Amino acid sequence: MLEFTMPRGVSDKVTFKPYVVGQGELFPPTADEMIPANHLVRLVDSTLDQLNLTPILKKYVGGGASRYHPLMLLKVIVYGYLNNVCSSRMIAKNVRENIYFRWIAGCQSPDFRTINNFRKDKLTSVINEVFVEVVKLLHKQGYVSLNTLYVDGTKIESRANRYTFVWKKAVETFDSRLEEKVRQYLKEVQRLTAEENIEFGEDDLPEMGKGPVSSETIAQMAAQINRTLENLSNEEDKQVKKNS
């Protein structure tokens, strides 16, 4: 643990709460305890629990190893769509790293191939209807304001966030065209998924770093930050003296 001492020039009367990265807890909270009772992920979970999965289950052939449950995969995909996370690789990443995705996935971690194949082979004929009904329910429950959401288009903002979907604004009423808008939305998801698969092939999203950073590099980065902070502090001191 890094020992922190109060630097010279700072009042010794200042106290801080103990801070230790990786600190364990005597009674660590469960993921369920960390998610608010009225969170969107709970509504998606309880809603999709009521679905008749027969049309999806009929597409499975018996035998072989056990598979991820289709209800779990459907939930993470629908929850992803509602949060503008549409890429199979980004859904898989969120299932590993995002507490809400991990909760609704039951702490399971399907990879992007599993998600991609399930969406392509099992959901093609049902995802539109499921997503339309979920959006309708969210509207009725007040989770979605359809005065500010318009389901019919996308905007790719950057490579780092290339699958961020931007819901267009300026719809005054929730009309019968919703289903067609959702179909357009999901068609765009399919197009971008195909584009992603061509770009990355059988690989996962590339990691930004290529390994651990050396202690020398960390020291150099910290030294540069410290110089910047010191310069800012000196500038503030000069400004205070100037105004006094």
Side-chain angles (χ1 to χ4, degrees):
M1 180 180 70
L2 181 65
E3 190 71 26
F4 179 82
T5 56
M6 198 68 75
R8 183 179 300 176
V10 178
S11 172
D12 58 5
K13 295 182 179 180
V14 178
T15 59
F16 300 106
K17 295 180 184 297
Y19 167 60
V20 180
V21 174
Q23 177 68 54
E25 297 182 70
L26 183 59
F27 300 104
T30 65
D32 190 68
E33 292 172 327
M34 297 175 69
I35 296 176
N38 62 343
H39 196 279
L40 173 63
V41 73
R42 292 189 183 276
L43 180 58
V44 172
D45 177 61
S46 58
T47 299
L48 297 189
D49 275 344
Q50 308 303 314
L51 288 185
N52 175 11
L53 294 181
T54 301
I56 298 176
L57 295 175
K58 283 182 177 179
K59 297 186 178 184
Y60 284 87
V61 177
S66 60
R67 296 89 181 268
Y68 283 109
H69 201 290
L71 182 58
M72 181 273 288
L73 294 171
L74 180 61
K75 286 179 180 179
V76 298
I77 288 173
V78 170
Y79 184 66
Y81 285 2
L82 291 170
N83 286 276
N84 299 328
V85 179
C86 304
S87 154
S88 296
R89 289 168 175 82
M90 288 305 299
I91 292 175
K93 178 179 174 65
N94 274 275
V95 165
R96 295 192 303 269
E97 302 175 0
N98 183 300
I99 186 172
Y100 302 110
F101 277 86
R102 285 193 59 73
W103 180 84
I104 202 170
C107 291
Q108 299 182 40
S109 300
D111 61 19
F112 78 91
R113 296 178 188 85
T114 300
I115 295 170
N116 199 34
N117 290 337
F118 176 73
R119 183 161 52 182
K120 178 180 64 175
D121 300 335
K122 306 296 192 296
L123 289 189
T124 302
S125 61
V126 301
I127 187 61
N128 286 50
E129 288 69 21
V130 170
F131 196 57
V132 167
E133 293 306 317
V134 169
V135 173
K136 286 180 180 178
L137 176 66
L138 293 176
H139 172 57
K140 291 178 181 178
Q141 296 294 322
Y143 279 80
V144 172
S145 171
L146 293 171
N147 291 327
T148 57
L149 294 184
Y150 194 77
V151 193
D152 85 334
T154 67
K155 176 183 177 182
I156 300 175
E157 297 188 342
S158 69
R159 179 181 173 84
N161 200 20
R162 63 179 301 177
Y163 293 96
T164 294
F165 280 68
V166 178
W167 301 73
K168 294 183 180 179
K169 298 182 178 181
V171 172
E172 295 183 357
T173 58
F174 181 54
D175 58 40
S176 60
R177 292 179 296 169
L178 172 65
E179 184 173 352
E180 179 57 30
K181 294 170 187 174
V182 171
R183 290 184 187 280
Q184 292 175 15
Y185 176 79
L186 297 178
K187 185 176 181 180
E188 187 67 7
V189 171
Q190 293 175 351
R191 185 186 70 80
L192 291 175
T193 298
E195 185 181 285
E196 179 188 74
N197 289 337
I198 291 173
E199 179 174 0
F200 296 109
E202 291 300 310
D203 298 327
D204 206 338
L205 288 173
E207 295 293 335
M208 296 301 292
K210 296 183 179 296
V213 180
S214 68
S215 58
E216 291 81 3
T217 300
I218 292 174
Q220 291 172 4
M221 294 167 60
Q224 178 60 49
I225 294 171
N226 285 333
R227 286 193 293 270
T228 301
L229 292 175
E230 185 175 355
N231 290 336
L232 289 173
S233 180
N234 291 336
E235 288 297 324
E236 289 181 354
D237 290 343
K238 291 178 182 178
Q239 190 64 35
V240 170
K241 291 179 180 179
K242 180 180 179 180
N243 295 334
S244 61

